[in-house]
Amino acid sequence: MASADLRAELDCCICLSLFTDPVSLRCGHNFCRWCIVSALDAQEAARVYSCLDCREEYPERPALEKNRKLGNIVERFLSAQSDMEETGIFCTYCTKSPVLAVKTCLHCEASFCEKHLRRHSKSSEHTLVEPTVTLEDRKCSTHKEVLKYYCPMDAACICVSCWVAGDHKGHDVKLLDVASEKEKEKLRSVIEKMKSEREEAGRRVQNLKDHKTEEEEKSVRFAEKVTGLFTDLKEKLKDLEKRIQGEISRQKEQVSLSVSDLVKQVELHKDELTKKINQFEGLFNFTDPLTFLKENVNSVDISDVIGDVREAQCLGEDLVSQILHRGLLHFAKNITDMKKKRQFPVMEKSDVLLDIDTAHNKINISRDLKSAFYTATSQDRPDGPQRFISCQVLSSRSFSSGRHYWEVDVSRAEKWIIGVAEESLERKVNGVESFIGYNEKSWGLMLINSFGVRHNNIYKPLVSDSSVKVVGVYLDYEAGRLSFYQLCDPIRHLHTFTASFSEPLYAAFSLFENSSIRIMK
């Protein structure tokens, strides 16, 4: 009723409608501007002015003061009424002004405000619900009776006729409020579970954000380590280059000095030859044979030729090459020490050998236990509990802790699967069920009809810009990570499986016709 009382306070006593441009007289009463101006004009002939509400008289025509506050209240009231008309449900019996309803009676098909609800029948057949205008939704579409019961068997709201003689006859039904409370209990349980899941999701989000921050910080530290390592490498190479360039400069100086000495000797010899030539040419001026012979015999004395280019020193390229070779070998040996200094993990290859006792009889194993070849001729090995009846083979060594790395050459295989398998992988099943990646016991990278990875028979395709010839396999058992890398140029990461390993793992290989693989040393 608050809405109706407020409306009465906002009505002009002249036009009995909401104030329009409200103004006030000195006595404090309010009117529409147009209403009071018209009334004062009518009073002007009698020269008596009075308030039409309290009848207070004024000796002169009263001044009108605009009541802005009252005008604002009217505007807000009109706005609120507009919203109520759009969204609210009003009392059916409040005809003078709209008042919001608090209940709707399904039997009366009417809505009531608090005042009229007090006069409403309290009979049980008069079912009260929250205010609604969609009364048809509250009644049975078949019997046109109020829906009072809930049938859990059919998950349907029904009327009494549905229960007594209709489709739900004999069903264990419940009153709507009882069923509603029971469903609310279920819903509360669901909500609690969802809240728990929401909290868990929040923790996961925070963990992921923390992981992102940690990995970003780790990447910065790793980049700094890489920069430091390459700084060390550059310094070592620069020192080696300096030594070699110094040796080249030293030999260049020696060659230069040697050639310069030889040039001086040859030039002296040349000058001496010039003098001898002039002397001998002067002998032709003697006409007396006796004098010529005596002078010629005594004068001909030519020293041996010296200073040939073969006597000059040459750059010792063999020595320079030897210094370079030994320096690079020493540099290569120091790389491991430099990586350890910068705290880089050294990824050493694990010694992975093939286990003949697990190999299918159409797989030929090399003597060094590093290569496996498909062969159409059976190897006639004796059967045993470890031997596969599918064309597969495992490593002889298992991994139950630590980090391990190995490389596999697949360049001679048209089709292949490589990966790891748990010790309990079934060996005696025909078909793909025991293939690597086709069960929960194994994880595999494969090239069959397409290139991809598979675990628990869930396949994920991968894209490679170039044919995969060598694959690196990295296993971190405690971290539960199995990673595959393409080692052709460019070297790149292919895929990482994450799992909680519970059994020892073996390197595993599947072969097909015209295929062979090799574990690289």
Side-chain angles (χ1 to χ4, degrees):
M1 296 299 295
S3 176
D5 294 340
L6 176 61
R7 169 62 187 269
E9 292 295 326
L10 298 179
D11 283 344
C12 173
C13 66
I14 298 175
C15 66
L16 302 179
S17 299
L18 287 172
F19 288 114
T20 302
D21 190 12
V23 293
S24 301
L25 295 180
R26 189 173 58 196
C27 62
H29 293 109
N30 302 295
F31 306 90
C32 299
R33 180 181 291 277
W34 187 87
C35 293
I36 191 61
V37 168
S38 297
L40 292 175
D41 288 345
Q43 294 173 355
E44 191 169 2
R47 296 290 180 178
V48 177
Y49 302 97
S50 63
C51 172
L52 273 70
D53 196 347
C54 67
R55 299 303 178 181
E56 180 178 345
E57 295 185 355
Y58 299 95
E60 297 180 354
R61 183 168 179 140
L64 304 176
E65 295 183 4
K66 185 177 180 66
N67 193 332
R68 291 184 175 83
K69 184 174 290 186
L70 180 58
N72 291 336
I73 293 173
V74 172
E75 288 182 5
R76 291 182 182 178
F77 180 81
L78 288 173
S79 176
Q81 287 295 102
S82 177
D83 293 340
M84 288 172 62
E85 290 173 1
E86 290 180 4
T87 61
I89 298 172
F90 300 102
C91 177
T92 306
Y93 300 99
C94 290
T95 57
K96 182 178 179 181
S97 59
V99 178
L100 286 174
V102 294
K103 291 292 181 179
T104 296
C105 177
L106 299 180
H107 180 77
C108 300
E109 296 188 359
S111 297
F112 301 89
C113 65
E114 292 179 355
K115 176 182 177 181
H116 289 102
L117 183 62
R118 287 194 292 268
R119 304 173 189 172
H120 181 258
S121 174
K122 301 297 189 292
S123 174
S124 61
E125 64 180 359
H126 290 266
T127 304
L128 296 176
V129 296
E130 294 302 313
T132 180
V133 293
T134 56
L135 297 176
E136 291 300 320
D137 293 343
R138 313 286 302 197
K139 292 187 176 183
C140 174
S141 60
T142 303
H143 304 104
K144 305 303 178 183
E145 297 179 14
V146 176
L147 300 173
K148 291 186 176 182
Y149 301 96
Y150 178 76
C151 177
M153 182 181 297
D154 299 321
C157 296
I158 63 174
C159 68
V160 65
S161 296
C162 291
W163 178 31
V164 173
D167 295 338
H168 303 272
K169 182 179 180 180
H171 292 184
D172 183 15
V173 301
K174 300 181 183 301
L175 290 171
L176 287 181
D177 55 350
V178 175
S180 175
E181 286 302 318
K182 189 172 183 179
E183 291 301 317
K184 284 180 180 178
E185 285 299 321
K186 293 180 181 178
L187 184 59
R188 289 188 188 99
S189 176
V190 171
I191 291 173
E192 289 301 317
K193 183 178 179 181
M194 293 176 68
K195 285 182 178 179
S196 177
E197 290 179 358
R198 183 178 64 183
E199 292 177 2
E200 177 61 25
R203 285 193 291 270
R204 290 182 181 180
V205 168
Q206 188 59 48
N207 289 340
L208 289 171
K209 289 181 178 179
D210 293 343
H211 177 73
K212 178 184 177 183
T213 301
E214 182 181 343
E215 291 302 309
E216 288 175 348
E217 293 173 353
K218 187 188 296 184
S219 66
V220 171
R221 294 194 299 270
F222 202 78
E224 291 174 350
K225 286 167 57 177
V226 170
T227 300
L229 175 62
F230 276 91
T231 299
D232 292 346
L233 295 175
K234 289 174 185 177
E235 289 178 356
K236 295 290 184 182
L237 286 173
K238 190 174 181 180
D239 290 342
L240 178 58
E241 180 188 14
K242 186 176 180 181
R243 283 166 45 205
I244 295 173
Q245 295 289 7
E247 177 61 24
I248 294 173
S249 297
R250 186 188 67 79
Q251 291 193 29
K252 175 185 175 184
E253 185 67 23
Q254 287 184 344
V255 170
S256 178
L257 291 174
S258 170
V259 172
S260 296
D261 289 342
L262 289 174
V263 167
K264 289 179 181 179
Q265 294 179 33
V266 173
E267 286 180 343
L268 289 174
H269 183 64
K270 179 183 174 184
D271 292 341
E272 182 181 351
L273 289 174
T274 301
K275 291 179 181 179
K276 290 291 184 180
I277 290 171
N278 292 333
Q279 181 182 352
F280 291 158
E281 287 178 346
L283 294 177
F284 288 99
N285 296 325
F286 293 102
T287 57
D288 180 22
L290 180 60
T291 303
F292 173 80
L293 291 173
K294 287 182 179 182
E295 290 293 331
N296 184 39
V297 172
N298 295 331
S299 299
V300 178
D301 184 16
I302 302 175
S303 60
D304 294 334
V305 178
I306 60 172
D308 188 82
V309 70
R310 289 171 293 180
E311 300 177 20
Q313 290 190 16
C314 299
L315 181 67
E317 294 185 27
D318 293 342
L319 177 59
V320 174
S321 297
Q322 184 67 12
I323 295 173
L324 174 62
H325 177 70
R326 294 180 66 83
L328 289 175
L329 286 178
H330 183 68
F331 173 77
K333 291 179 181 179
N334 285 337
I335 288 179
T336 300
D337 294 335
M338 285 188 281
K339 287 195 294 184
K340 289 181 179 179
K341 173 186 174 183
R342 295 291 174 181
Q343 297 181 338
F344 279 95
V346 179
M347 188 179 286
E348 297 179 353
K349 290 182 183 178
S350 302
D351 187 19
V352 176
L353 301 176
L354 298 173
D355 183 4
I356 295 180
D357 290 339
T358 66
H360 182 265
N361 269 319
K362 287 192 176 181
I363 295 179
N364 192 357
I365 305 297
S366 63
R367 289 185 178 181
D368 63 358
L369 304 178
K370 289 287 188 179
S371 297
F373 311 86
Y374 179 88
T375 176
T377 304
S378 175
Q379 301 300 297
D380 293 327
R381 303 186 189 101
D383 192 16
Q386 302 302 315
R387 192 171 308 286
F388 282 100
I389 62 172
S390 56
C391 202
Q392 300 189 127
V393 61
L394 300 182
S395 63
S396 57
R397 175 186 179 184
S398 65
F399 309 105
S400 56
S401 64
R403 299 173 179 176
H404 307 276
Y405 175 75
W406 61 94
E407 296 175 357
V408 185
D409 182 352
V410 294
S411 61
R412 296 184 180 180
E414 296 179 0
K415 298 179 180 181
W416 47 266
I417 307 175
I418 61 175
V420 300
E422 292 184 345
E423 190 171 32
S424 60
L425 176 64
E426 180 59 52
R427 317 293 173 92
K428 305 299 183 181
V429 177
N430 281 314
V432 298
E433 290 85 355
S434 64
F435 276 23
I436 302 163
Y438 286 78
N439 46 73
E440 63 179 8
K441 298 287 187 178
S442 58
W443 298 257
L445 175 74
M446 61 185 59
L447 176 62
I448 302 180
N449 297 321
S450 61
F451 182 57
V453 291
R454 190 186 293 271
H455 169 62
N456 204 16
N457 207 19
I458 298 175
Y459 179 75
K460 178 181 178 181
L462 299 178
V463 177
S464 178
D465 297 333
S466 58
S467 60
V468 178
K469 298 184 181 302
V470 180
V471 175
V473 184
Y474 181 69
L475 171 65
D476 188 336
Y477 192 94
E478 281 79 11
R481 296 173 67 85
L482 174 68
S483 299
F484 297 97
Y485 299 89
Q486 177 178 330
L487 300 184
C488 310
D489 289 332
I491 298 174
R492 69 185 189 93
H493 171 258
L494 293 174
H495 184 76
T496 293
F497 286 108
T498 56
S500 297
F501 302 126
S502 58
E503 297 184 31
L505 297 175
Y506 292 82
F509 311 87
S510 292
L511 273 75
F512 300 84
E513 292 184 10
N514 303 318
S515 295
S516 67
I517 59 95
R518 180 165 182 80
I519 302 169
M520 302 181 68
K521 297 179 180 180

